[in-house]
Amino acid sequence: MSTPRIGVLALQGDTREHLSALREAGATATPVRRLSELDAVDALVIPGGESTTMSHLLRDFDLLDPLRKRLLDGMPAYGACAGMILLASEILDAGSVGREAVPLGGIDMTVRRNAFGRQVDSFEEDIEFQGLDDPVHAVFIRAPWVERVGDGVQVLGSAAGHAVAVRQGPVLATAFHPEMTGDRRIHRLFVDMVTGKR
């Protein structure tokens, strides 16, 4: 696969920034809002946004079960912030009944929503990222953190004593927003994962 076709879930959140970052990283990038669009991509990015709203919209657009099946079948995926929450196998503080964030089970991990605090507690920090030579400038906005990882889950980066970047097989997740900086190394890593280079 020379140029992978990578979708960005375009139900809610910062879709445009991820589409641009993926194109800069060498992929053909396309928004995904319906099943036919999900079926047409090699991989999927789940952007930041609001995880309970995204879960609700996944149900409304009849994408929840098909997306779970694609992940189970080994489709590569990358989730940033809310995307990390949704890719978890367990979500703590998932939201109110009927409006919960729904785990997709892409990575065997337990994630706590809004773990670093509310919007006013947002922050930026340089973190070491395994496999990259220089630190990544990470933007955390109402960010989650990982409280537990299962066997086979690789922790790639940490902040405040908690895992904030993880990988399990073809699935990658960060608690921060690399699409908001000019650094495309994490998107390039994901493109390389999709093509089997890394």
Side-chain angles (χ1 to χ4, degrees):
M1 183 190 310
S2 54
T3 305
R5 185 175 181 83
I6 301 178
V8 178
L9 190 66
L11 302 180
Q12 191 258 350
D14 48 356
T15 305
R16 188 175 66 242
E17 293 86 348
H18 279 287
L19 289 168
S20 177
L22 287 165
R23 289 172 185 139
E24 289 177 39
T28 298
T30 183
V32 170
R33 292 185 191 86
R34 51 186 59 89
L35 181 56
S36 61
E37 294 166 343
L38 177 63
D39 288 342
V41 297
D42 303 309
L44 185 71
V45 170
I46 304 175
E50 214 294 309
S51 56
T52 56
T53 300
M54 290 170 81
S55 295
H56 181 72
L57 291 169
L58 280 168
R59 284 196 191 97
D60 282 358
F61 282 76
D62 295 322
L63 286 172
L64 185 61
D65 289 334
L67 178 49
R68 277 197 178 124
K69 184 177 186 313
R70 286 287 315 265
L71 290 167
L72 189 63
D73 290 344
M75 178 185 68
Y78 166 51
C81 197
M84 170 185 258
I85 294 166
L86 295 179
L87 284 173
S89 54
E90 181 184 21
I91 303 169
L92 303 178
D93 300 327
S96 58
V97 175
R99 292 289 297 177
E100 305 100 326
V102 177
L104 296 169
I107 297 178
D108 181 10
M109 64 178 174
T110 301
V111 171
R112 183 174 296 279
R113 287 177 72 235
N114 303 332
F116 285 103
R118 300 181 319 185
Q119 191 86 16
V120 295
D121 302 307
S122 300
F123 67 99
E124 300 181 22
E125 180 179 316
D126 290 340
I127 66 165
E128 297 292 330
F129 194 100
Q130 189 175 326
L132 301 180
D133 292 338
D134 299 313
V136 169
H137 187 70
V139 179
F140 294 87
I141 302 171
R142 287 191 313 159
W145 66 43
V146 179
E147 296 212 346
R148 177 201 63 85
V149 294
D151 294 339
V153 179
Q154 184 182 13
V155 175
L156 302 176
S158 298
H162 294 276
V164 294
V166 296
R167 175 181 179 179
Q168 185 174 19
V171 184
L172 177 70
T174 62
F176 52 90
H177 292 265
E179 77 284 358
M180 296 182 73
T181 71
D183 188 343
R184 298 300 179 232
R185 289 177 297 163
I186 291 174
H187 287 85
R188 282 194 203 102
L189 167 64
F190 182 58
V191 172
D192 285 347
M193 288 168 58
V194 176
T195 59
K197 293 179 184 172
R198 295 174 80 172

